[in-house]
Amino acid sequence: MTTGETPFSAIGRMVVLVDDPDEALAFYRDVLGFAVLHDYVAGGYRFLHIGLPGQEGVGLWLMPITSEQQRGLIGRQTGGQPLLVLYTPDLDVVAKRLREHGVRVWDEREDPGSRSLHFADLYGNVIVVAHLLPS
């Protein structure tokens, strides 16, 4: 392979460890507007994939923990750094929606090229929402 080539065609799913997949789904679906991409059980294991409507190729796999060791990683998979960044055309609408659902919002700011805020999901995973400003 030469520089710039890759054998991969796309980013698919990012794994998010959860204690209760249905509880996590309710948050991501009802508060953030994610949709279920796949939800099935095979071999006794649940495959619950969610994503943003219109971007079904990329998403989150809400993976139930299978051990007490994994329980300690819930909400801390990234060592306190953001789990993901979501883009929005209207940061004020997102901030209002989050607050209406009782989600704590912090670090609202404007930087060169963007406005952003931070919030956490049910398990403490930090998520950044950014509105990219026209250049």
Side-chain angles (χ1 to χ4, degrees), residues 25 28-30 32-38 48-54 56 58-60:
L25 172 60
Y28 279 92
R29 182 191 57 220
D30 301 343
L32 303 183
F34 279 63
V36 173
L37 304 176
H38 302 285
L48 175 54
H49 297 192
I50 61 172
L52 294 173
E56 288 77 13
V58 179
L60 305 176

Side-chain angles (χ1 to χ4, degrees), residues 37-114:
L37 304 176
H38 302 285
D39 188 1
Y40 60 91
V41 176
Y45 200 76
R46 186 172 182 189
F47 295 87
L48 175 54
H49 297 192
I50 61 172
L52 294 173
Q55 296 184 3
E56 288 77 13
V58 179
L60 305 176
W61 177 358
L62 301 177
M63 182 181 287
I65 59 166
T66 58
S67 71
E68 285 305 309
Q69 179 184 5
Q70 288 179 356
R71 182 178 306 285
L73 296 173
I74 292 175
R76 292 188 286 279
Q77 289 176 228
T78 59
Q81 296 300 316
L83 178 71
L84 69 133
V85 177
L86 299 172
Y87 294 124
T88 181
D90 194 333
L91 192 67
D92 297 324
V93 167
V94 172
K96 181 179 182 215
R97 181 181 178 106
L98 291 169
R99 288 187 175 104
E100 286 173 348
H101 283 90
V103 177
R104 183 175 74 89
V105 173
W106 72 91
D107 201 18
E108 293 181 73
R109 58 197 233 189
E110 187 164 337
D111 296 309
S114 70

Side-chain angles (χ1 to χ4, degrees), residues 16-28 62-65 71-77 83 120-127:
V16 179
L17 292 175
V18 298
D19 187 44
D20 182 335
D22 291 311
E23 178 183 58
L25 172 60
F27 177 83
Y28 279 92
L62 301 177
M63 182 181 287
I65 59 166
R71 182 178 306 285
L73 296 173
I74 292 175
R76 292 188 286 279
Q77 289 176 228
L83 178 71
D121 71 5
L122 293 176
Y123 297 107
N125 292 300
V126 176
I127 299 170

